[in-house]
Amino acid sequence: MDAILVLNAGSSSLKFQLFGIGGPDGPQALVKGKIDGIGTHPHLRATGPAKTLLVDRDCAPSEVPDLPAATHAMAGWMRETQQVNLVAVGHRVVHGGPDYSQPVRLDEQVLQYLERFIPLAPLHQPHNLEPIRTMIERRPELPQVACFDTAFHRGHSAVADHYAIPERFHAEGVRRYGFHGLSYEYISGRLREVAPDVAGGRIVVAHLGSGASLCALSDGRSIESTLGFTALDGLPMGTRCGQIDPGVILYLIDQKGMTAKEVQDLLYKESGLKGLSGVSNDVRDLLESDDPRAAFALDHFVYRVGLHAGAMAAALDGLDAFVFTAGIGENSPEIRAAIAKRLEWCGAELDPAANAAGKSVISTERSRVRLLVVPTDEELMIVRHTLALL
Ligand code: ADP
């Protein structure tokens, strides 16, 4: 069977999925896996169709000290266990810069171009690119495709794309890019199947996972995002601060003597739900906790989602539907209900029973805003793009 491998590399993990292609029902997931703890306590885990466990074992740290080694280890395990004919690799790449509004076939030249965006996404881009280099060296004949988290947002108007700082910074790339684009693109397509009567309308999609953002969709296209130049803006997230007055950063540097690296660590790793609650970055832990700070952190999160939803609705001149997706959006009826309450001002009315049952439509019949739960699938989006480019 022909297959496409999808890779999504982070600072200490490599997520991978293998899809069989050529069947009548489109790409089918054969394997879904991850190597995490790269460099410290590497662990390989993978499941097959229907979540059957295929492997779940530690690897020696000396065997998997870094991402290139993890890529080799993953490829070795795949070769031993999967009898497929690999025809291409699709990579998730966070930053496509100002020019890429579509996925691109990778070669050495494109890779060098994408390396120019490392300063724009220093915590993600270098890791995303490492397995590409490894695969290009290992299998130069194998087609590889980069799919960008920024691409779906490249159609934003100039007004939406700018910060109010001197124009020269925009010219050199300081723009409101927006992220989670593969998720929003998938949802946009899926809405045409599950809610065709509203799919062409004014929709806010809430991608609420450990990273979180909102996207305003008009006629299926992104016109605004709560994320901007980096994945720090907008909503508070698991460990990231979300929107913050730049004056706070000046205060931290000027008055507290913090270095840029210390501020970066504070805003990316110690803030958000984790920083506010002092308990956890995980919504499940916060919902279970008796600590009032956990409840406060969730209240803050929900409040900020509501506030930014108002901004997205303003960008759209109204709201026809609000879509919940990703880890929190797909799995937490409590958080969905709390957010829906914040949308009552614009005519949203939750159906509590449908919400508790995890139905895909969770608003009442008379609600003026359709409330939907639509599971996202960024990897499937990458496979489709990779196939389309082949
Ligand atoms: P990512 O892919 O960005 O790591 P996910 O979309 O998988 O994130 O979301 C992970 C988050 O989803 C977890 O940190 C947790 O807060 C939340 N989550 C997952 N399952 C549930 C649940 N049943 N109830 C509440 N929150 C959940």
Side-chain angles (χ1 to χ4, degrees):
M1 185 196 302
D2 286 348
I4 290 179
L5 178 65
V6 171
L7 296 182
N8 178 3
S11 57
S12 64
S13 73
L14 176 69
K15 294 186 194 160
F16 53 91
Q17 270 199 52
L18 188 70
F19 289 85
I21 56 168
D25 302 324
Q28 298 295 313
L30 304 173
V31 176
K32 178 175 183 173
K34 185 176 177 179
I35 299 183
D36 56 15
I38 295 170
T40 50
H41 44 277
H43 187 89
L44 166 67
R45 189 176 196 281
T47 54
K51 300 206 167 152
T52 47
L53 190 62
L54 300 177
V55 60
D56 191 12
R57 67 168 157 85
D58 289 334
C59 315
S62 58
E63 198 191 316
V64 188
D66 52 23
L67 262 176
T71 311
H72 281 287
M74 178 275 307
W77 177 80
M78 279 284 180
R79 237 191 350 267
E80 280 165 25
T81 60
Q82 303 300 312
Q83 269 72 53
V84 294
N85 173 37
L86 194 60
V87 296
V89 185
H91 298 267
R92 180 180 191 172
V93 177
V94 71
H95 223 301
D99 297 328
Y100 283 127
S101 57
Q102 294 292 333
V104 62
R105 179 95 176 247
L106 286 154
D107 57 24
E108 186 55 40
Q109 214 176 347
V110 174
L111 188 56
Q112 279 177 20
Y113 180 74
L114 294 178
E115 280 170 350
R116 298 198 342 219
F117 305 126
I118 288 177
L120 301 188
L123 300 187
H124 295 101
Q125 192 81 345
H127 310 302
N128 297 161
L129 299 184
E130 261 187 288
I132 298 176
R133 184 159 293 294
T134 307
M135 295 299 289
I136 285 182
E137 283 166 12
R138 219 184 134 104
R139 299 279 306 270
E141 79 296 349
L142 194 63
Q144 300 197 58
V145 171
C147 300
F148 305 107
D149 270 312
T150 49
F152 188 59
H153 302 295
R154 289 320 300 142
H156 288 184
S157 69
V159 168
D161 195 47
H162 270 71
Y163 288 109
I165 56 175
E167 175 63 28
R168 64 178 183 278
F169 291 104
H170 184 267
E172 72 177 56
V174 183
R175 302 179 183 200
R176 297 197 61 248
Y177 290 99
F179 296 89
H180 293 139
L182 291 160
S183 173
Y184 292 128
E185 188 179 9
Y186 175 83
I187 298 287
S188 174
R190 190 79 185 115
L191 283 172
R192 286 196 290 275
E193 296 163 9
V194 298
D197 55 327
V198 291
R202 301 161 300 180
I203 299 180
V204 172
V205 185
H207 177 107
L208 308 177
S210 50
S213 70
L214 305 180
C215 174
L217 293 179
S218 173
D219 197 14
R221 288 179 305 113
S222 167
I223 64 154
E224 186 54 273
S225 157
T226 57
L227 286 173
F229 178 57
T230 66
L232 266 188
D233 205 358
L235 308 177
M237 307 176 213
T239 62
R240 290 177 241 159
C241 59
Q243 184 187 38
I244 191 166
D245 180 343
V248 174
I249 293 154
L250 297 177
Y251 169 81
L252 296 175
I253 295 169
D254 262 0
Q255 303 299 319
K256 307 296 284 185
M258 289 173 75
T259 64
K261 174 77 174 73
E262 285 166 344
V263 173
Q264 175 173 295
D265 283 349
L266 179 80
L267 301 183
Y268 273 96
K269 296 180 183 160
E270 299 300 331
S271 298
L273 296 173
K274 180 182 176 192
L276 260 187
S277 69
V279 173
S280 170
N281 61 327
D282 192 309
V283 168
R284 285 164 291 200
D285 299 338
L286 299 179
L287 286 168
E288 277 171 21
S289 170
D290 297 331
D291 192 323
R293 293 174 306 162
F296 178 77
L298 291 175
D299 283 349
H300 178 84
F301 176 73
V302 167
Y303 170 72
R304 302 295 300 184
V305 173
L307 205 61
H308 284 273
M312 294 295 114
L316 289 164
D317 285 331
L319 189 61
D320 299 313
F322 188 93
V323 181
F324 294 91
T325 194
I328 304 166
E330 292 169 29
N331 297 304
S332 177
E334 295 98 322
I335 300 293
R336 289 197 300 259
I339 293 171
K341 187 129 197 64
R342 293 246 162 227
L343 299 173
E344 282 177 357
W345 66 270
C346 59
E349 191 180 81
L350 184 77
D351 176 341
N355 182 42
K359 295 263 170 66
S360 57
V361 179
I362 58 168
S363 48
T364 62
E365 291 241 333
R366 66 167 185 216
S367 178
R368 278 191 279 126
V369 175
R370 186 90 54 89
L371 301 172
L372 297 158
V373 181
V374 181
T376 194
D377 196 337
E378 290 152 301
E379 284 76 16
L380 187 56
M381 205 63 237
I382 294 174
V383 169
R384 288 181 185 161
H385 280 309
T386 304
L387 261 175
L389 261 187
L390 282 181

